[in-house]
Amino acid sequence: ATPFLAAYAYQALPTASYPTLDTGFQNSEFLRDKYVLVLVPHQDDDVNMAGATIQSFVNAGSEVYVAFLTNGDYKGLNNLRLTEALECMDALGVPRDHAYFLGYGDDWKGAHLYDRAPDEPAISHVGRDHTYGLYGHEDLRTQLDGEPSLYTRANCLRDVRALVDLLFPDVIYCVDYDDHADHRMTSLLLEEAVGQMLNEDPAYRP
């Protein structure tokens, strides 16, 4: 298109509450008055995938919640990684009580959790069989019920669904279906959980 036609086409765009060439994403109405959930598998995926987006929503006054499906404990650094995740929330302006640890393992002995029968128990790479978080910042299931979830695929789906039910977010960010098995599980379980919600409440449109 010629510069004249391009300028005319731009001027003809509707004045919606979405980013424009003039305002940019940082000043978009889309960022305001939202409940936002960022669901990721590991402690670093939140910053790598959506660090700037998280901060943009926070700066615009929206409420942002970040949830970690696994504890990133493949090398036994779970306490360090969970503590660092909370410190990242501080840096991004997300209140620490807006961070959730679902508390599942980072890699598994035998078949991956997602590939097991729904109620088949699993043992994580570091030998755990129940969800856990930090002292004073427990895993989601312990927060909800007072006791952790046994590591099963069905429980993991239940916990993802409980998270979305609890927050009922307007906007959800999640990793996509890539080469990492934990990323794939996170993406697929979220789709399954939201699918259940949409069937039960067609008016919900995150």
Side-chain angles (χ1 to χ4, degrees):
T2 66
F4 172 77
L5 289 176
Y8 178 80
Y10 169 65
Q11 291 173 355
L13 289 173
T15 55
S17 60
Y18 290 93
T20 69
L21 295 177
D22 291 329
T23 65
F25 184 68
Q26 293 288 339
N27 298 313
S28 169
E29 287 295 326
F30 176 74
L31 298 171
R32 296 181 172 86
D33 301 318
K34 298 291 194 306
Y35 289 94
V36 181
L37 169 61
V38 178
L39 175 64
V40 294
H42 309 107
Q43 297 71 29
D44 69 359
D45 292 320
D46 54 325
V47 176
N48 291 334
M49 178 187 77
T53 302
I54 291 169
Q55 200 156 49
S56 295
F57 275 105
V58 169
N59 290 344
S62 289
E63 290 196 28
V64 180
Y65 300 83
V66 181
F68 302 91
L69 189 75
T70 83
N71 281 341
D73 56 6
Y74 179 81
K75 294 185 177 180
L77 301 175
N78 47 289
N79 285 345
L80 175 62
R81 294 194 71 178
L82 298 186
T83 300
E84 288 178 343
L86 294 178
E87 292 171 353
C88 282
M89 296 301 100
D90 296 339
L92 291 170
V94 176
R96 289 192 175 201
D97 62 357
H98 285 198
Y100 289 94
F101 301 132
L102 274 69
Y104 286 83
D106 184 356
D107 206 4
W108 304 92
K109 294 183 177 180
H112 194 278
L113 183 71
Y114 187 83
D115 297 326
R116 294 172 182 262
D119 294 317
E120 178 187 355
I123 303 294
S124 73
H125 177 75
V126 294
R128 290 181 176 265
D129 63 357
H130 282 80
T131 57
Y132 68 99
L134 287 171
Y135 178 76
H137 202 112
E138 300 294 345
D139 62 282
L140 175 66
R141 182 52 53 185
T142 297
Q143 289 185 38
L144 294 175
D145 292 345
E147 57 184 26
S149 289
L150 181 68
Y151 282 160
T152 68
R153 184 191 185 283
N155 283 346
C156 194
L157 173 60
R158 177 189 66 159
D159 291 346
V160 171
R161 170 66 192 270
L163 175 73
V164 182
D165 279 338
L166 176 69
L167 301 176
F168 211 67
D170 303 304
V171 180
I172 303 173
Y173 289 91
C174 186
V175 293
D176 206 346
Y177 187 87
D178 61 30
D179 289 340
H180 196 302
D182 291 345
H183 291 212
R184 293 184 180 192
M185 178 174 73
T186 305
S187 176
L188 292 172
L189 289 180
L190 177 65
E191 290 184 7
E192 192 171 345
V194 172
Q196 292 175 356
M197 294 182 70
L198 296 181
N199 283 326
E200 295 169 15
D201 181 7
Y204 179 50
R205 282 290 182 267

